[in-house]
Amino acid sequence: MLLLLCLGLPLLAQMPRGFYPWWDSPVAKDLNLSEDQNRQIRDIVKEYRTKMIDQRAAVEKAEVELQDIFNEDSFDQRRGNEAIERLISARGDITRSFSQMSLRLRAILTNDQYHELMRRRPNMQPGNLMRELQKRNQNGPRQNGQGGGRQPMPQRPPQQ
């Protein structure tokens, strides 16, 4: 799952700050990947790239739709619940793709290569990676300078 997350996220339309495809980095060069391993990695990444870009777009669209519903003056609970279901579905789809790709990529590495990759990139552990990406996604402008982070959902004023 770790490799999936590491590989899949950079493939998205908007790459998180500080994130890069490990297979094209010095980290991968020092893993002593064989030519066959490199070819397999390229093939898997290519296979998932457009699918994951489309899925990320679906997540962003669902997030914007939900935000718009929250911000409407005439709030509609039914429409809100439908938007939530679309968002849950979109997030589930991209998580499934990330996980499937990561699993396939992990299978290419030997145990020693995988452990060395994890030693060099501890922030690539599955739980840490998802938390970091969520945090980065909610904060500040993106690395490519296109747009800022998502606007937070409006919060209900405290009851007095």
Side-chain angles (χ1 to χ4, degrees), residues 23-87:
W23 60 91
D24 280 338
S25 74
V27 170
K29 289 175 184 27
D30 293 342
L31 292 177
N32 297 319
L33 297 171
S34 70
E35 198 50 46
D36 189 50
Q37 285 175 308
N38 282 315
R39 181 192 52 75
Q40 289 175 38
I41 289 169
R42 282 191 307 271
D43 290 349
I44 290 169
V45 169
K46 184 178 179 182
E47 179 183 335
Y48 280 87
R49 182 177 45 227
T50 56
K51 179 181 184 177
M52 292 173 65
I53 289 170
D54 291 344
Q55 289 173 332
R56 180 64 187 155
V59 168
E60 290 183 0
K61 180 181 176 185
E63 287 172 342
V64 167
E65 288 174 357
L66 182 59
Q67 183 177 353
D68 289 347
I69 290 169
F70 268 81
N71 291 331
E72 289 176 355
D73 289 337
S74 58
F75 182 75
D76 183 338
Q77 183 79 32
R78 181 191 52 78
R79 285 186 55 230
N81 282 327
E82 290 170 358
I84 289 168
E85 291 304 316
R86 284 190 296 276
L87 178 57

Side-chain angles (χ1 to χ4, degrees), residues 4 6 13 23 39-40 42 66 75 96 98 108 116 118 141 143-145 150-151 153 156:
L4 168 65
C6 296
W23 60 91
R39 181 192 52 75
Q40 289 175 38
R42 282 191 307 271
L66 182 59
F75 182 75
R96 182 179 302 107
F98 282 146
I108 292 169
E116 181 62 18
M118 293 301 96
Q143 182 179 15
N144 64 8
R150 286 190 183 70
Q151 297 297 317
M153 290 288 202
R156 181 183 234 172

